[in-house]
Amino acid sequence: MAITQILVLFASALLLSMFFTGVDSTRSNETWHEHAVENPEEVAAMVDMSIRNSTERRRLGYFSCSTGNPIDDCWRCDRRWQSRRKALANCAIGFGRNAIGGRDGRYYVVNDPNDDNPVNPKPGTLRHAVIQEEPLWIVFKRDMVITLKEELIMNSFKTIDGRGVNVHIANGACITIQFVTNIIIHGIHIHDCRPTGNAMVR
């Protein structure tokens, strides 16, 4: 399986998980989660159809920009995607299809790959970006490898958008997405994560 597909599946899994936190499948009116869907099989079938359509378009060579991945196909065919990055929020499929990430916020440019102070992160770092209370669309100034000293705990309404550069979160802690909503992560490589145990982080 290609790295792009793995990343998309990972991002899709992240989007799926945030909508099902606390959902009881044997629901009653009191326990029905506000974001749960009435017919999950229908949503899964829509995802399957979307993937099959993208794969078939690529096989038939309809578009030179097609990847066979419906999320990537949604934005790659726009030659001006870099000036319209936030259109990615309209590309989601499946249970996370309504996630807007940081679409309604400003851009935040990560220019420092360091993670020296997880308690008081320096402006310009990824950790500083994800802990902000406001919606943010997070992009990267250049290629970088970010080795997290402690887990990266995100706030709601954030997009981490690695398109156009080569960004790795590797050889350290990883990202924690828990008790938050509207998170989009796309186009970054996350690998070789290591458990860091209990820590003081923001």
Side-chain angles (χ1 to χ4, degrees):
M1 183 178 287
I3 288 178
T4 303
Q5 291 172 312
I6 292 170
L7 290 174
V8 169
L9 291 173
F10 176 74
S12 299
L14 293 175
L15 293 173
L16 287 174
S17 65
M18 72 180 180
F19 282 99
F20 278 95
T21 302
V23 174
D24 181 356
S25 60
T26 59
R27 71 181 175 101
S28 68
N29 288 336
E30 294 78 33
T31 61
W32 183 242
H33 192 275
E34 64 177 310
H35 295 296
V37 295
E38 289 288 336
N39 189 347
E41 291 82 13
E42 182 179 322
V43 175
M46 287 168 44
V47 170
D48 182 60
M49 182 178 70
S50 182
I51 291 169
R52 278 190 283 117
N53 288 344
S54 279
T55 303
E56 188 63 15
R57 279 194 298 271
R58 180 182 185 200
R59 190 182 70 76
L60 294 173
Y62 282 161
F63 304 108
S64 61
C65 57
S66 290
T67 64
N69 174 326
I71 295 173
D72 280 345
D73 290 353
C74 176
W75 64 268
R76 279 185 188 269
C77 291
D78 180 359
R79 291 182 181 163
R80 294 174 51 208
W81 68 265
Q82 288 181 308
S83 63
R84 297 193 281 242
R85 282 182 174 271
K86 292 183 180 182
L88 177 67
N90 302 324
C91 295
I93 59 175
F95 296 102
R97 66 191 179 280
N98 296 321
I100 63 170
R103 184 195 67 194
D104 297 336
R106 64 184 174 88
Y107 285 101
Y108 186 111
V109 179
V110 174
N111 55 29
D112 185 347
N114 294 308
D115 189 42
D116 297 329
N117 191 343
V119 177
N120 290 307
K122 190 166 71 170
T125 61
L126 179 59
R127 188 176 301 276
H128 185 267
V130 302
I131 66 170
Q132 302 306 307
E133 294 295 329
E134 65 191 280
L136 290 175
W137 196 279
I138 302 162
V139 296
F140 299 84
K141 186 172 184 177
R142 57 184 168 80
D143 296 353
M144 59 181 71
V145 176
I146 300 171
T147 300
L148 298 169
K149 301 266 193 269
E150 307 293 348
E151 65 181 327
L152 189 72
I153 300 175
M154 297 189 64
N155 275 342
S156 295
F157 294 97
K158 300 290 181 291
T159 297
I160 300 177
D161 180 358
R163 293 175 295 167
V165 290
N166 188 14
V167 176
H168 293 254
I169 295 177
N171 306 312
C174 266
I175 300 174
T176 297
I177 301 174
Q178 182 174 312
F179 309 120
V180 293
T181 185
N182 285 280
I183 300 293
I184 298 173
I185 299 176
H186 190 78
I188 63 171
H189 307 272
I190 302 172
H191 57 92
D192 297 307
C193 293
R194 299 174 183 163
T196 56
N198 295 331
M200 293 289 293
V201 295
R202 281 184 65 194

